[in-house]
Amino acid sequence: MDYHIKELMACRLSRELLDGEAVGVGANFPIARAATLLAYYQHGPNIKVTMGAFRVNLENADQAMNMAFFSDFRPVRWAESAMNFSTQMYSFHKLDTFFISGIQIDAHGNTNLIGIRRDDGSFKFRGPGSIGTTTLAAVARRYYIIAEHHNPRVFVEQCNVVSAMGFGDGTPGLREELNLPGAGPKLCVTPLGIFDFTPDTHRMRLHSLHPGITLNQVNENTGFRVEIPDNIIETDPPTARELKTLRSRVDPNGELR
Amino acid sequence: MDYHIKELMACRLSRELLDGEAVGVGANFPIARAATLLAYYQHGPNIKVTMGAFRVNLENADQAMNMAFFSDFRPVRWAESAMNFSTQMYSFHKLDTFFISGIQIDAHGNTNLIGIRRDDGSFKFRGPGSIGTTTLAAVARRYYIIAEHHNPRVFVEQCNVVSAMGFGDGTPGLREELNLPGAGPKLCVTPLGIFDFTPDTHRMRLHSLHPGITLNQVNENTGFRVEIPDNIIETDPPTARELKTLRSRVDPNGELR
Amino acid sequence: MKRTNVIADESAALDVITDGMTIALGGFITAQHATGLIRGLARRRVKDLTVIGSVSSSLEVDFLISCGCIKKLVTAYVGAESAAPMGPFFKQAAENDSIQIWECDEIIIMAMLQATMAGIPFYPVRGGLGTDLPQLNPDLVPFKDPIRNENLLAVPAMKIDVALTHASIADCYGNVQYDGNPYADEMIQKAADQTITSVEKIVPPEFIRRDPFKTVYTADMVVRMPFGAHPFSSQGAYIEDTAHLNEYVMAAYMATKGDDVSWETYRKRYIDEPEDHLSYLEQVGVKSLLSLHEY
Amino acid sequence: MKRTNVIADESAALDVITDGMTIALGGFITAQHATGLIRGLARRRVKDLTVIGSVSSSLEVDFLISCGCIKKLVTAYVGAESAAPMGPFFKQAAENDSIQIWECDEIIIMAMLQATMAGIPFYPVRGGLGTDLPQLNPDLVPFKDPIRNENLLAVPAMKIDVALTHASIADCYGNVQYDGNPYADEMIQKAADQTITSVEKIVPPEFIRRDPFKTVYTADMVVRMPFGAHPFSSQGAYIEDTAHLNEYVMAAYMATKGDDVSWETYRKRYIDEPEDHLSYLEQVGVKSLLSLHEY
């Protein structure tokens, strides 16, 4: 069956989400939104789905809508509650998971949304800002890094600025030492493959290659040495059922294609 | 003109409140409520009046109602907003004033709502608890102590337990040293007179005697040495206009009589 | 797969709460307590509870004390204002040292809830410095703030197993709305690991979705309990039953003075013998219940 | 004596904000900014402002930067999501070091607001430890909590002179209600010394009192500004004007690349030449405005 790589990424991620989990998704993050909605329709009717600041019930929604803006009011049609920033922003440690991206992603799962500095500390390149990621990465039970582009500019040995801590410099037990309640990044999902982190020094390790992708492609496109396991497996491609739900209910406008 | 002593206390207190001030009043505290409503009707249309958790507009209310219970729902008829505990309980430092009472009130304006202990620390007499007074006394810009009964059991040299700090042991600058933002108790209002605090060691000092009350009565009924100024003035009795508003709009059921 | 329906019956809800747990009660003084559920705990004589009493609490805490349910009490007040300056059994227990009291005021208890719901070890407050609270409650720790070096009091977070709240309506997915003031219930719910909410009425999800901004939180378990706050008020539904409050206070007061007769009668009739909330309401009677209108 | 009517006209409201003040903006990313008032500040070229930008902010902060109004910026994001990953002038100013940026994420900014509204010197958070934020923003001070000795970051309070928010309705006494989500506006209002709120519509006090629980806060000054959030959305009234956002982003982007023509045209037409909000709306045009419906 034919599919786009972003569809594969969304399907693969959706299998990570368990029924009943509280999942945070920002706006303008189509792969994360699709993964969450797909999990909700496929196996997670109790997944706590949010669209913008609304918790929604999409049971009877034939089609979800795109969220070009977090504050789009129109999901109110499915909303059963709305996030009260004055009390709820403090409860992010109750999130089971969320998704993060970065202008840089490093070998230990740290991410950078702030920018790249010159030696004198001034910004050569300024990014958009941390949004909620600094805290979420510290407190959410686990999270997933999503990279829409896999290249050596994004995948660097060490982020120039760390705006959200993954595993720091990889020192065993560092998150516990800093009293960060969350377990940190679980996987990194890119157009080339799925990566996890070694249990000891938390270095990024290939978990599976997407169909048709070679180990060479991964090595060439990563700005650091990726840990390679003995057995390299292939990412399970989307099933027919997944693709059908994805295209009919989750992403009818083909944002992922 | 004939009036009850509690009416005098309410009228005298009402003159302390300025237009536009934010005033906190608990339930079941008739003198404080009457003073606030009277000030609102007499000279303070912008006084922020609350009834229970409601901020009310009583402009067109012929008669206010008694508040036997803080959570009485019926003032909703006049409410323009309701206190959101999850965000507003933190803003008590924005209160201009509130009213406090105690099972003990001491020479330095400290109050006790917790109880009286034996030497071994156990409670001989347990009071109702601090409610919101511990924090309010620390942070409200100023406050007033109201005693419905003036006797040596209530007025003691030193509270057995301090649940709300007035001026501690009277050390000059103690509140500033503890970084308490509020100025502390301004007056103590009792059935015998009005008391303020000396500027240096913050000891309770007679400010005025109610009509017909003697200095002797004050001394006999106070469990500590009250500071006495050179000139003892008489408390201004309620005016005819005050009494009329009080009896017709504020306290039509005569709770204060 | 279907989304889970969280409506539970009374006894299933009560089964959640076991000896030794820490529970937080919603409502405020004489309003909006989950009295029906709390009465169930008293009837079952659940033991050794740490009870966080609604910021300022009322006689629901008092009868829990009388029934021997409370080991440690966290509250700023126990009473019923004009109907009773203090809970009689609370007073007695405090004077006998038969319960531990975590001394605080309302803002300190809210600070504890805020720290707990935010997942931080403590929340800093100003109130309490210069008072005897830190001596009475060694959990309150004076410290200097790391930025301006000011004096503050650190109020620690607490692990809360279950929140018990009472609201106006909820749907089968646990979305809870109030016709009145939720007081501190939102914080209480967010601070607790699990929330059980009794409601006046269960409504279809479509009714909740008419105004999603009114949803205060999502409960883990919802129990239908009309008049569930009685003898306290449930805003938008009924006012306090002052006669019943007085009956309670008189009986409890006499018991603390050594005369148990009225209290035994009260306890049997209203707490022990009714097998559930509806049987309790039967004891109160339709005429009493329907006299508690608000106009 | 009569109660004060707090309705003010646009220019009286703008007069409140003077060079060097600290102002906090309400709304969230592409919704509910008091854009009309903020545009007025840009037109007046108010200088040296410290701007606290709505937790996460958008192009209203970007044009303030372009007009030289901002000295220091407190925000977790400047952009318009799918319409612009970043504000062009923000990016340029950050890269030129022409504004100070108080680096934070959304929860850190909320922690600052919480500390400020609670009147405490700081609020403790967990996020930021192990990142470069404390290095980029020395106001964030790592410390050990006084109870469990855990690592935390102290976020200081800030003195905020004026909050500028945009809501659906208000009455002449400043009681403000939202048809949608107030986002962090309640905290922003409580943290500021004074609040000016623009509203889609002014209603009689009786309308506000129909549902007092919907009142989010009481503003010190209310300005009638229909379409006051444009080109952002005002919930329950109109959605984002994506075409206008794109027009802005394109012009601003070109300007940061050295080609000022489009931006000069934009700035004259929409910021500098309209003498007030209604004249701005005239430039946008009725057809554009009325196309921003939500269905």
Side-chain angles (χ1 to χ4, degrees), chain B residues 53-77:
Chain B
F54 295 112
R55 164 88 190 272
V56 290
N57 177 350
L58 296 171
E59 221 172 307
N60 301 316
D62 287 339
Q63 299 185 352
M65 55 180 285
N66 295 335
M67 287 290 289
F69 303 108
F70 179 92
S71 349
D72 194 319
F73 188 60
R74 290 167 295 179
V76 74
R77 63 192 65 171

PDB file of all heavy atoms in Angstrom, chain B residues 53-77:
ATOM      1  N   ALA B  53     -18.918  34.822  48.879  1.00  0.00           N
ATOM      2  CA  ALA B  53     -17.929  34.846  47.805  1.00  0.00           C
ATOM      3  C   ALA B  53     -18.373  35.731  46.639  1.00  0.00           C
ATOM      4  O   ALA B  53     -17.779  35.680  45.575  1.00  0.00           O
ATOM      5  CB  ALA B  53     -17.660  33.428  47.321  1.00  0.00           C
ATOM      6  N   PHE B  54     -19.439  36.505  46.832  1.00  0.00           N
ATOM      7  CA  PHE B  54     -19.913  37.373  45.755  1.00  0.00           C
ATOM      8  C   PHE B  54     -19.458  38.814  45.948  1.00  0.00           C
ATOM      9  O   PHE B  54     -19.526  39.343  47.067  1.00  0.00           O
ATOM     10  CB  PHE B  54     -21.449  37.387  45.709  1.00  0.00           C
ATOM     11  CG  PHE B  54     -22.056  36.062  45.354  1.00  0.00           C
ATOM     12  CD1 PHE B  54     -22.791  35.336  46.291  1.00  0.00           C
ATOM     13  CD2 PHE B  54     -21.900  35.542  44.083  1.00  0.00           C
ATOM     14  CE1 PHE B  54     -23.358  34.115  45.959  1.00  0.00           C
ATOM     15  CE2 PHE B  54     -22.468  34.317  43.743  1.00  0.00           C
ATOM     16  CZ  PHE B  54     -23.204  33.593  44.694  1.00  0.00           C
ATOM     17  N   ARG B  55     -19.025  39.449  44.894  1.00  0.00           N
ATOM     18  CA  ARG B  55     -18.924  40.895  44.866  1.00  0.00           C
ATOM     19  C   ARG B  55     -20.295  41.394  44.420  1.00  0.00           C
ATOM     20  O   ARG B  55     -20.809  40.983  43.376  1.00  0.00           O
ATOM     21  CB  ARG B  55     -17.846  41.304  43.852  1.00  0.00           C
ATOM     22  CG  ARG B  55     -17.864  42.747  43.428  1.00  0.00           C
ATOM     23  CD  ARG B  55     -17.036  43.616  44.363  1.00  0.00           C
ATOM     24  NE  ARG B  55     -17.257  45.028  44.071  1.00  0.00           N
ATOM     25  CZ  ARG B  55     -16.576  45.743  43.183  1.00  0.00           C
ATOM     26  NH1 ARG B  55     -15.599  45.170  42.498  1.00  0.00           N
ATOM     27  NH2 ARG B  55     -16.851  47.010  42.983  1.00  0.00           N
ATOM     28  N   VAL B  56     -20.904  42.287  45.242  1.00  0.00           N
ATOM     29  CA  VAL B  56     -22.300  42.665  44.966  1.00  0.00           C
ATOM     30  C   VAL B  56     -22.448  44.146  44.628  1.00  0.00           C
ATOM     31  O   VAL B  56     -21.626  44.982  45.008  1.00  0.00           O
ATOM     32  CB  VAL B  56     -23.219  42.337  46.169  1.00  0.00           C
ATOM     33  CG1 VAL B  56     -23.374  40.830  46.315  1.00  0.00           C
ATOM     34  CG2 VAL B  56     -22.696  42.958  47.463  1.00  0.00           C
ATOM     35  N   ASN B  57     -23.516  44.429  43.929  1.00  0.00           N
ATOM     36  CA  ASN B  57     -23.937  45.794  43.638  1.00  0.00           C
ATOM     37  C   ASN B  57     -25.288  45.994  44.329  1.00  0.00           C
ATOM     38  O   ASN B  57     -26.306  45.455  43.887  1.00  0.00           O
ATOM     39  CB  ASN B  57     -24.084  45.973  42.124  1.00  0.00           C
ATOM     40  CG  ASN B  57     -24.596  47.345  41.759  1.00  0.00           C
ATOM     41  OD1 ASN B  57     -25.022  48.117  42.630  1.00  0.00           O
ATOM     42  ND2 ASN B  57     -24.557  47.667  40.472  1.00  0.00           N
ATOM     43  N   LEU B  58     -25.291  46.731  45.427  1.00  0.00           N
ATOM     44  CA  LEU B  58     -26.502  46.864  46.243  1.00  0.00           C
ATOM     45  C   LEU B  58     -27.214  48.195  45.987  1.00  0.00           C
ATOM     46  O   LEU B  58     -28.083  48.592  46.752  1.00  0.00           O
ATOM     47  CB  LEU B  58     -26.139  46.749  47.728  1.00  0.00           C
ATOM     48  CG  LEU B  58     -25.580  45.399  48.160  1.00  0.00           C
ATOM     49  CD1 LEU B  58     -25.042  45.458  49.580  1.00  0.00           C
ATOM     50  CD2 LEU B  58     -26.655  44.313  48.049  1.00  0.00           C
ATOM     51  N   GLU B  59     -26.831  48.854  44.899  1.00  0.00           N
ATOM     52  CA  GLU B  59     -27.394  50.162  44.591  1.00  0.00           C
ATOM     53  C   GLU B  59     -28.919  50.137  44.626  1.00  0.00           C
ATOM     54  O   GLU B  59     -29.556  51.025  45.203  1.00  0.00           O
ATOM     55  CB  GLU B  59     -26.938  50.523  43.176  1.00  0.00           C
ATOM     56  CG  GLU B  59     -26.533  51.950  42.986  1.00  0.00           C
ATOM     57  CD  GLU B  59     -25.920  52.134  41.604  1.00  0.00           C
ATOM     58  OE1 GLU B  59     -24.982  51.365  41.280  1.00  0.00           O
ATOM     59  OE2 GLU B  59     -26.398  53.006  40.869  1.00  0.00           O
ATOM     60  N   ASN B  60     -29.483  49.141  43.999  1.00  0.00           N
ATOM     61  CA  ASN B  60     -30.938  49.100  43.905  1.00  0.00           C
ATOM     62  C   ASN B  60     -31.571  48.112  44.880  1.00  0.00           C
ATOM     63  O   ASN B  60     -32.734  47.758  44.742  1.00  0.00           O
ATOM     64  CB  ASN B  60     -31.352  48.753  42.474  1.00  0.00           C
ATOM     65  CG  ASN B  60     -30.806  49.783  41.494  1.00  0.00           C
ATOM     66  OD1 ASN B  60     -30.869  50.978  41.748  1.00  0.00           O
ATOM     67  ND2 ASN B  60     -30.228  49.312  40.394  1.00  0.00           N
ATOM     68  N   ALA B  61     -30.777  47.671  45.857  1.00  0.00           N
ATOM     69  CA  ALA B  61     -31.331  46.744  46.854  1.00  0.00           C
ATOM     70  C   ALA B  61     -31.968  47.571  47.974  1.00  0.00           C
ATOM     71  O   ALA B  61     -31.274  48.321  48.656  1.00  0.00           O
ATOM     72  CB  ALA B  61     -30.220  45.869  47.414  1.00  0.00           C
ATOM     73  N   ASP B  62     -33.262  47.442  48.134  1.00  0.00           N
ATOM     74  CA  ASP B  62     -33.914  48.204  49.205  1.00  0.00           C
ATOM     75  C   ASP B  62     -33.327  47.818  50.550  1.00  0.00           C
ATOM     76  O   ASP B  62     -33.067  48.652  51.401  1.00  0.00           O
ATOM     77  CB  ASP B  62     -35.422  47.924  49.215  1.00  0.00           C
ATOM     78  CG  ASP B  62     -36.087  48.614  48.042  1.00  0.00           C
ATOM     79  OD1 ASP B  62     -35.489  49.567  47.513  1.00  0.00           O
ATOM     80  OD2 ASP B  62     -37.176  48.176  47.655  1.00  0.00           O
ATOM     81  N   GLN B  63     -33.156  46.534  50.730  1.00  0.00           N
ATOM     82  CA  GLN B  63     -32.630  46.039  51.997  1.00  0.00           C
ATOM     83  C   GLN B  63     -31.596  44.956  51.717  1.00  0.00           C
ATOM     84  O   GLN B  63     -31.833  44.068  50.904  1.00  0.00           O
ATOM     85  CB  GLN B  63     -33.735  45.398  52.844  1.00  0.00           C
ATOM     86  CG  GLN B  63     -34.834  46.350  53.211  1.00  0.00           C
ATOM     87  CD  GLN B  63     -35.838  45.700  54.147  1.00  0.00           C
ATOM     88  OE1 GLN B  63     -35.774  44.498  54.381  1.00  0.00           O
ATOM     89  NE2 GLN B  63     -36.747  46.497  54.675  1.00  0.00           N
ATOM     90  N   ALA B  64     -30.457  45.036  52.390  1.00  0.00           N
ATOM     91  CA  ALA B  64     -29.510  43.926  52.307  1.00  0.00           C
ATOM     92  C   ALA B  64     -30.048  42.768  53.143  1.00  0.00           C
ATOM     93  O   ALA B  64     -30.952  42.948  53.969  1.00  0.00           O
ATOM     94  CB  ALA B  64     -28.150  44.363  52.828  1.00  0.00           C
ATOM     95  N   MET B  65     -29.530  41.583  52.955  1.00  0.00           N
ATOM     96  CA  MET B  65     -29.956  40.442  53.765  1.00  0.00           C
ATOM     97  C   MET B  65     -28.892  40.116  54.796  1.00  0.00           C
ATOM     98  O   MET B  65     -27.722  40.467  54.648  1.00  0.00           O
ATOM     99  CB  MET B  65     -30.226  39.228  52.884  1.00  0.00           C
ATOM    100  CG  MET B  65     -29.072  38.825  51.999  1.00  0.00           C
ATOM    101  SD  MET B  65     -29.454  37.376  50.995  1.00  0.00           S
ATOM    102  CE  MET B  65     -29.350  36.070  52.235  1.00  0.00           C
ATOM    103  N   ASN B  66     -29.301  39.455  55.853  1.00  0.00           N
ATOM    104  CA  ASN B  66     -28.315  38.959  56.808  1.00  0.00           C
ATOM    105  C   ASN B  66     -27.513  37.844  56.156  1.00  0.00           C
ATOM    106  O   ASN B  66     -27.999  37.150  55.275  1.00  0.00           O
ATOM    107  CB  ASN B  66     -29.001  38.402  58.052  1.00  0.00           C
ATOM    108  CG  ASN B  66     -29.726  39.496  58.797  1.00  0.00           C
ATOM    109  OD1 ASN B  66     -29.378  40.663  58.704  1.00  0.00           O
ATOM    110  ND2 ASN B  66     -30.762  39.119  59.538  1.00  0.00           N
ATOM    111  N   MET B  67     -26.282  37.672  56.607  1.00  0.00           N
ATOM    112  CA  MET B  67     -25.466  36.577  56.095  1.00  0.00           C
ATOM    113  C   MET B  67     -25.172  35.644  57.264  1.00  0.00           C
ATOM    114  O   MET B  67     -24.137  35.775  57.926  1.00  0.00           O
ATOM    115  CB  MET B  67     -24.161  37.119  55.527  1.00  0.00           C
ATOM    116  CG  MET B  67     -24.304  37.853  54.214  1.00  0.00           C
ATOM    117  SD  MET B  67     -24.708  36.751  52.834  1.00  0.00           S
ATOM    118  CE  MET B  67     -23.135  35.889  52.645  1.00  0.00           C
ATOM    119  N   ALA B  68     -26.087  34.702  57.487  1.00  0.00           N
ATOM    120  CA  ALA B  68     -25.855  33.754  58.568  1.00  0.00           C
ATOM    121  C   ALA B  68     -24.743  32.783  58.188  1.00  0.00           C
ATOM    122  O   ALA B  68     -24.035  32.261  59.042  1.00  0.00           O
ATOM    123  CB  ALA B  68     -27.140  32.996  58.872  1.00  0.00           C
ATOM    124  N   PHE B  69     -24.628  32.534  56.885  1.00  0.00           N
ATOM    125  CA  PHE B  69     -23.618  31.610  56.392  1.00  0.00           C
ATOM    126  C   PHE B  69     -22.864  32.265  55.235  1.00  0.00           C
ATOM    127  O   PHE B  69     -23.491  32.833  54.339  1.00  0.00           O
ATOM    128  CB  PHE B  69     -24.271  30.319  55.891  1.00  0.00           C
ATOM    129  CG  PHE B  69     -25.095  29.623  56.935  1.00  0.00           C
ATOM    130  CD1 PHE B  69     -26.477  29.609  56.857  1.00  0.00           C
ATOM    131  CD2 PHE B  69     -24.488  28.995  58.014  1.00  0.00           C
ATOM    132  CE1 PHE B  69     -27.245  28.976  57.823  1.00  0.00           C
ATOM    133  CE2 PHE B  69     -25.241  28.356  58.978  1.00  0.00           C
ATOM    134  CZ  PHE B  69     -26.632  28.348  58.895  1.00  0.00           C
ATOM    135  N   PHE B  70     -21.544  32.141  55.248  1.00  0.00           N
ATOM    136  CA  PHE B  70     -20.719  32.696  54.179  1.00  0.00           C
ATOM    137  C   PHE B  70     -21.193  32.192  52.822  1.00  0.00           C
ATOM    138  O   PHE B  70     -21.216  32.933  51.851  1.00  0.00           O
ATOM    139  CB  PHE B  70     -19.255  32.299  54.396  1.00  0.00           C
ATOM    140  CG  PHE B  70     -18.306  32.794  53.336  1.00  0.00           C
ATOM    141  CD1 PHE B  70     -17.651  34.009  53.506  1.00  0.00           C
ATOM    142  CD2 PHE B  70     -18.056  32.062  52.186  1.00  0.00           C
ATOM    143  CE1 PHE B  70     -16.765  34.481  52.539  1.00  0.00           C
ATOM    144  CE2 PHE B  70     -17.187  32.526  51.206  1.00  0.00           C
ATOM    145  CZ  PHE B  70     -16.540  33.736  51.391  1.00  0.00           C
ATOM    146  N   SER B  71     -21.556  30.926  52.752  1.00  0.00           N
ATOM    147  CA  SER B  71     -21.870  30.336  51.451  1.00  0.00           C
ATOM    148  C   SER B  71     -23.333  30.492  51.068  1.00  0.00           C
ATOM    149  O   SER B  71     -23.773  29.859  50.112  1.00  0.00           O
ATOM    150  CB  SER B  71     -21.505  28.855  51.402  1.00  0.00           C
ATOM    151  OG  SER B  71     -20.740  28.461  52.489  1.00  0.00           O
ATOM    152  N   ASP B  72     -24.082  31.306  51.798  1.00  0.00           N
ATOM    153  CA  ASP B  72     -25.474  31.527  51.397  1.00  0.00           C
ATOM    154  C   ASP B  72     -25.485  31.944  49.929  1.00  0.00           C
ATOM    155  O   ASP B  72     -24.770  32.850  49.524  1.00  0.00           O
ATOM    156  CB  ASP B  72     -26.080  32.630  52.274  1.00  0.00           C
ATOM    157  CG  ASP B  72     -27.599  32.665  52.158  1.00  0.00           C
ATOM    158  OD1 ASP B  72     -28.120  32.510  51.023  1.00  0.00           O
ATOM    159  OD2 ASP B  72     -28.264  32.854  53.187  1.00  0.00           O
ATOM    160  N   PHE B  73     -26.310  31.265  49.144  1.00  0.00           N
ATOM    161  CA  PHE B  73     -26.305  31.488  47.696  1.00  0.00           C
ATOM    162  C   PHE B  73     -27.113  32.710  47.290  1.00  0.00           C
ATOM    163  O   PHE B  73     -26.935  33.269  46.220  1.00  0.00           O
ATOM    164  CB  PHE B  73     -26.879  30.239  47.009  1.00  0.00           C
ATOM    165  CG  PHE B  73     -26.760  30.237  45.518  1.00  0.00           C
ATOM    166  CD1 PHE B  73     -25.503  30.299  44.907  1.00  0.00           C
ATOM    167  CD2 PHE B  73     -27.878  30.161  44.701  1.00  0.00           C
ATOM    168  CE1 PHE B  73     -25.375  30.271  43.526  1.00  0.00           C
ATOM    169  CE2 PHE B  73     -27.750  30.141  43.319  1.00  0.00           C
ATOM    170  CZ  PHE B  73     -26.510  30.193  42.733  1.00  0.00           C
ATOM    171  N   ARG B  74     -28.010  33.156  48.184  1.00  0.00           N
ATOM    172  CA  ARG B  74     -29.018  34.112  47.740  1.00  0.00           C
ATOM    173  C   ARG B  74     -28.512  35.505  47.374  1.00  0.00           C
ATOM    174  O   ARG B  74     -29.141  36.176  46.560  1.00  0.00           O
ATOM    175  CB  ARG B  74     -30.154  34.145  48.771  1.00  0.00           C
ATOM    176  CG  ARG B  74     -30.950  32.842  48.721  1.00  0.00           C
ATOM    177  CD  ARG B  74     -31.863  32.687  49.905  1.00  0.00           C
ATOM    178  NE  ARG B  74     -31.106  32.568  51.154  1.00  0.00           N
ATOM    179  CZ  ARG B  74     -31.676  32.432  52.336  1.00  0.00           C
ATOM    180  NH1 ARG B  74     -32.993  32.401  52.438  1.00  0.00           N
ATOM    181  NH2 ARG B  74     -30.922  32.324  53.414  1.00  0.00           N
ATOM    182  N   PRO B  75     -27.361  35.963  47.886  1.00  0.00           N
ATOM    183  CA  PRO B  75     -26.862  37.254  47.395  1.00  0.00           C
ATOM    184  C   PRO B  75     -26.524  37.222  45.903  1.00  0.00           C
ATOM    185  O   PRO B  75     -26.179  38.253  45.331  1.00  0.00           O
ATOM    186  CB  PRO B  75     -25.599  37.498  48.239  1.00  0.00           C
ATOM    187  CG  PRO B  75     -25.792  36.689  49.456  1.00  0.00           C
ATOM    188  CD  PRO B  75     -26.576  35.475  49.018  1.00  0.00           C
ATOM    189  N   VAL B  76     -26.636  36.044  45.267  1.00  0.00           N
ATOM    190  CA  VAL B  76     -26.408  35.964  43.821  1.00  0.00           C
ATOM    191  C   VAL B  76     -27.301  36.967  43.095  1.00  0.00           C
ATOM    192  O   VAL B  76     -26.972  37.438  42.017  1.00  0.00           O
ATOM    193  CB  VAL B  76     -26.645  34.514  43.310  1.00  0.00           C
ATOM    194  CG1 VAL B  76     -28.120  34.176  43.271  1.00  0.00           C
ATOM    195  CG2 VAL B  76     -25.985  34.290  41.954  1.00  0.00           C
ATOM    196  N   ARG B  77     -28.409  37.334  43.724  1.00  0.00           N
ATOM    197  CA  ARG B  77     -29.327  38.276  43.072  1.00  0.00           C
ATOM    198  C   ARG B  77     -28.679  39.642  42.829  1.00  0.00           C
ATOM    199  O   ARG B  77     -29.099  40.375  41.965  1.00  0.00           O
ATOM    200  CB  ARG B  77     -30.614  38.417  43.894  1.00  0.00           C
ATOM    201  CG  ARG B  77     -30.414  39.000  45.273  1.00  0.00           C
ATOM    202  CD  ARG B  77     -31.671  38.826  46.130  1.00  0.00           C
ATOM    203  NE  ARG B  77     -31.922  37.385  46.361  1.00  0.00           N
ATOM    204  CZ  ARG B  77     -32.833  36.914  47.193  1.00  0.00           C
ATOM    205  NH1 ARG B  77     -33.623  37.741  47.859  1.00  0.00           N
ATOM    206  NH2 ARG B  77     -32.984  35.623  47.362  1.00  0.00           N
TER     207      ARG B  77
END
